[in-house]
Amino acid sequence: MQRTGSFKIRGVANQMERLGAKGPQRLLSYSAGNYGKAFATVCRRLGHSALVLMPSTVPPDRVSLIRSLGAEVELAESTQLLSRLAERQREGRTFLHSFDCPHLMAGYASLASEVIQERRRRGQPPAPELIIVPCGGGGLIGGLASAFSALGFPETVVVGVEPEKADGMRRALRAGRVVDFSPASVASGLAPPHAGRRTLAVAQRLISHWAHVTDEEILEAQAVLAQAKLIVEPSGAAGLA
């Protein structure tokens, strides 16, 4: 129900606020969908030139949507991504990471303050006992876990939820480093090819509870939400699953 249809705009706006340069910028990022929509929206509002690299496997309607928001879009095979990003940076574009960025996590952390404000409004203790957070690259869960810790609520348990076959953070935690792999899940927003290096460091320090759900469980949760008149993509249903 937020602008662009996801929480991503909170982080993107903070990323761009922290650029430190005045005037229009030539910016670059990589996204399969939600981050790209937020990136394109904020760039257009601030007058920046936006280029979004997208996987060649994304549905055409996502490409059309991001282009309609004023961004250029280039499709890239996964094996071409790093070289294409480097090439565009050499051409003078500034790269903003779509999940492994401290300013992005800080923007997402604004959700924690709103949870606390809402609980106080209801007369509840400010610190929730449990927060369940879907995890892809780790930006959202990293921001929330950091926020509750920094605000003095270490007793709040943060639980990360990953699709069983798109478990980049679980693989990284087991290996003690970022692991590249080929994820497969109906929840495409939770299926980057690896967790973030910075987000892994936060997970190692602050998050000890993880759950893994099947695609069938995610789709069942999505149907339950639809019955409650909440239309969400599979990634947004993983926490309920």
Side-chain angles (χ1 to χ4, degrees), residues 55-168:
S56 56
T57 53
V58 298
D61 61 319
R62 291 191 194 177
V63 176
S64 299
L65 176 58
I66 290 178
R67 283 178 174 153
S68 75
L69 294 170
E72 296 179 57
V73 175
E74 289 185 13
L75 299 179
E77 301 290 339
S78 58
T79 54
Q80 302 172 336
L81 175 61
L82 292 178
S83 61
R84 192 80 68 85
L85 286 172
E87 181 180 338
R88 296 295 172 258
Q89 288 179 82
R90 287 194 296 270
E91 294 171 356
R93 288 192 176 269
T94 299
F95 177 64
L96 299 185
H97 204 291
S98 58
F99 56 85
D100 198 26
C101 169
H103 301 315
L104 198 66
M105 284 190 275
Y108 297 158
S110 62
L111 282 161
S113 65
E114 291 184 21
V115 168
I116 292 166
Q117 290 167 14
E118 177 67 11
R119 290 177 62 82
R120 283 178 170 151
R121 187 185 68 79
R122 295 180 180 183
Q124 299 171 326
E129 294 180 13
L130 186 71
I131 293 284
I132 299 172
V133 190
C135 178
L140 175 62
I141 195 169
L144 283 170
S146 297
F148 284 114
S149 176
L151 291 169
F153 300 133
E155 69 275 18
T156 295
V157 176
V158 180
V159 179
V161 181
E162 292 183 299
E164 275 193 343
K165 295 182 180 179
D167 57 343

Side-chain angles (χ1 to χ4, degrees):
M1 287 182 276
Q2 297 186 24
R3 181 175 291 186
T4 74
S6 81
F7 64 89
K8 297 293 178 79
I9 198 163
R10 295 170 177 265
V12 175
N14 194 52
Q15 273 184 314
M16 295 191 188
E17 175 72 18
R18 303 296 177 180
L19 282 172
K22 296 182 179 180
Q25 305 294 307
R26 299 178 69 236
L27 303 180
L28 163 71
S29 196
Y30 172 76
S31 171
N34 282 327
Y35 179 91
K37 286 190 287 184
F39 178 79
T41 297
V42 179
C43 279
R44 182 167 67 177
R45 181 165 183 172
L46 297 179
H48 300 320
S49 167
L51 172 60
V52 182
L53 267 62
M54 301 188 74
S56 56
T57 53
V58 298
D61 61 319
R62 291 191 194 177
V63 176
S64 299
L65 176 58
I66 290 178
R67 283 178 174 153
S68 75
L69 294 170
E72 296 179 57
V73 175
E74 289 185 13
L75 299 179
E77 301 290 339
S78 58
T79 54
Q80 302 172 336
L81 175 61
L82 292 178
S83 61
R84 192 80 68 85
L85 286 172
E87 181 180 338
R88 296 295 172 258
Q89 288 179 82
R90 287 194 296 270
E91 294 171 356
R93 288 192 176 269
T94 299
F95 177 64
L96 299 185
H97 204 291
S98 58
F99 56 85
D100 198 26
C101 169
H103 301 315
L104 198 66
M105 284 190 275
Y108 297 158
S110 62
L111 282 161
S113 65
E114 291 184 21
V115 168
I116 292 166
Q117 290 167 14
E118 177 67 11
R119 290 177 62 82
R120 283 178 170 151
R121 187 185 68 79
R122 295 180 180 183
Q124 299 171 326
E129 294 180 13
L130 186 71
I131 293 284
I132 299 172
V133 190
C135 178
L140 175 62
I141 195 169
L144 283 170
S146 297
F148 284 114
S149 176
L151 291 169
F153 300 133
E155 69 275 18
T156 295
V157 176
V158 180
V159 179
V161 181
E162 292 183 299
E164 275 193 343
K165 295 182 180 179
D167 57 343
M169 190 61 78
R170 173 164 61 179
R171 293 167 184 256
L173 287 166
R174 284 177 174 174
R177 59 179 175 79
V178 171
V179 177
D180 291 320
F181 73 118
S182 298
S185 175
V186 67
S188 60
L190 301 180
H194 53 78
R197 179 175 56 83
R198 293 179 177 88
T199 57
L200 170 61
V202 174
Q204 289 171 322
R205 185 166 54 91
L206 296 177
I207 306 165
S208 58
H209 294 74
W210 295 89
H212 294 85
V213 292
T214 66
D215 278 2
E216 290 74 21
E217 289 168 333
I218 289 172
L219 292 173
E220 181 181 352
Q222 188 183 26
V224 170
L225 289 167
Q227 291 170 5
K229 304 290 192 289
L230 293 171
I231 307 303
V232 303
E233 62 182 293
S235 300
L240 180 60

